[in-house]
Amino acid sequence: KNDVSSFIEEKYIDQSRNVNNNGGKISTKRRKSKRHGARNQHRHKYFCKWIMENFNLKEGDLILDIAGGKGELAARLSICHKLNVLMVDPRPADIQKTFESLVLPKLPKRHQLRMTERQKVEPTFLKTVFQERFRQIETLFDEYLIDTNEEVREALEKCSLIIGLHADGATESIVNVALEHNKPFVVVPCCVFPNLFNQRFLYNQYNNMDSSSSSNKPIPVRTHEQFCQYLLAKDECLQHCTLPFEGRNFAIYWTQNQM
């Protein structure tokens, strides 16, 4: 789970719901499989593939990976797609260990063999590549970090994409920062933490649960469905889709070609 849980309590985590792209409506029907079950173990692979298909990225581009956890997505982007990644997460990640233990075994056999042979000839190959393409800033991400951290600010100016896969407490900040600075982004919302973020509200026109009412009374954002609607309401250019893995798989994104 890629979250920023060092400043939030686990008791706020709500139950997993299935999100689908069905005319803009978000279903709360639960999945049969467990959230971290076998069907969810390849989510980084499928997400990485989706990113490369939907964003115009080229070798050497800089990616901001927010709340990237152990760095599995960053490792894939760095090694498999030759992208530079700046990951912002308060927990230190051993990116080489993550690649060797979580990414490499899931690659096609021919790529595993090629990588193994390369490391035999050049034992420091992975270390060298990650030193060149990967950097982590061990801190929480929010909108104020742009003003207080020069490295993050410079990376934001240069980056081609901002990513937040299950970034939890940082998810809304990613959307706000990306829209403010006109940067392509994708977030996959996960936990809502309604007690912590209690200033989020929906109005009737964005509330599928009360579509028959004409009231414009503010509705507190408490569920995953409401959180996704709340984020989508920030700008009419935002799009959404369902990603091909189990669990929280509802992506909200902007490609910069949708203006």
Side-chain angles (χ1 to χ4, degrees):
K1 174 172 173 289
N2 293 344
D3 63 356
V4 194
S5 58
S6 59
F7 77 115
I8 43 189
E9 298 181 20
E10 192 69 19
K11 66 180 181 180
Y12 294 140
I13 298 181
D14 60 336
Q15 295 296 316
S16 178
R17 292 184 175 88
N18 173 30
V19 178
N20 60 52
N21 187 1
N22 183 18
K25 294 184 179 180
I26 303 173
S27 171
T28 58
K29 184 178 180 180
R30 293 184 182 181
R31 293 281 188 180
K32 291 182 179 180
S33 61
K34 292 184 178 179
R35 189 170 159 199
H36 297 293
R39 296 182 184 181
N40 200 25
Q41 65 179 334
H42 295 292
R43 69 183 182 200
H44 295 92
K45 177 178 73 174
Y46 294 131
F47 186 44
C48 189
K49 183 175 184 293
W50 181 88
I51 287 171
M52 299 307 298
E53 290 174 348
N54 286 273
F55 292 91
N56 186 26
L57 298 174
K58 58 184 183 298
E59 182 178 325
D61 279 353
L62 176 62
I63 309 298
L64 268 181
D65 183 13
I66 307 302
K70 294 179 181 179
E72 185 171 349
L73 182 62
R76 282 185 173 275
L77 293 170
S78 297
I79 297 294
C80 303
H81 299 284
K82 299 181 180 180
L83 296 169
N84 297 314
V85 180
L86 175 65
M87 189 172 84
V88 181
D89 193 299
R91 300 157 297 179
D94 187 335
I95 192 72
Q96 182 172 338
K97 180 180 178 181
T98 294
F99 178 80
E100 292 173 333
S101 62
L102 297 178
V103 178
L104 186 58
K106 299 174 186 175
L107 295 180
K109 294 297 181 182
R110 66 181 184 278
H111 295 309
Q112 293 185 39
L113 180 61
R114 186 183 306 166
M115 186 66 65
T116 301
E117 293 299 321
R118 178 70 179 270
Q119 288 182 281
K120 287 181 180 179
V121 177
E122 195 177 345
T124 62
F125 166 68
L126 282 177
K127 181 179 180 181
T128 301
V129 170
F130 282 124
Q131 285 178 341
E132 294 174 351
R133 301 178 188 166
F134 176 80
R135 167 96 171 94
Q136 179 179 2
I137 297 179
E138 295 175 15
T139 187
L140 296 169
F141 181 86
D142 57 29
E143 295 164 64
Y144 304 104
L145 187 64
I146 308 303
D147 297 323
T148 58
N149 189 296
E150 183 177 356
E151 185 173 3
V152 174
R153 184 168 59 253
E154 291 179 354
L156 176 64
E157 294 174 356
K158 298 176 182 178
C159 78
S160 300
L161 178 65
I162 308 175
I163 296 173
L165 174 61
H166 299 174
D168 287 350
T171 301
E172 183 179 3
S173 291
I174 295 171
V175 177
N176 291 342
V177 167
L179 290 175
E180 180 181 353
H181 294 270
N182 200 34
K183 288 292 181 177
F185 77 93
V186 55
V187 294
V188 184
C190 187
C191 302
V192 181
F193 306 108
N195 291 29
L196 184 67
F197 298 99
N198 56 15
Q199 298 301 311
R200 294 169 174 164
F201 294 95
L202 280 175
Y203 292 88
N204 182 62
Q205 60 266 39
Y206 302 117
N207 182 29
N208 289 338
M209 303 298 292
D210 189 27
S211 58
S212 62
S213 172
S214 60
S215 172
N216 203 32
K217 181 180 178 181
I219 300 167
V221 173
R222 301 196 64 82
T223 69
H224 181 260
E225 172 186 348
Q226 290 172 335
F227 186 37
C228 291
Q229 292 173 342
Y230 169 80
L231 294 174
L232 284 168
K234 287 180 176 290
D235 198 295
E236 61 182 9
C237 73
L238 301 187
Q239 292 187 311
H240 62 89
C241 71
T242 302
L243 298 172
F245 55 78
E246 293 290 331
R248 300 297 202 201
N249 60 358
F250 188 79
I252 297 172
Y253 63 100
W254 180 59
T255 64
Q256 209 174 39
N257 298 321
Q258 302 156 210
M259 298 186 69

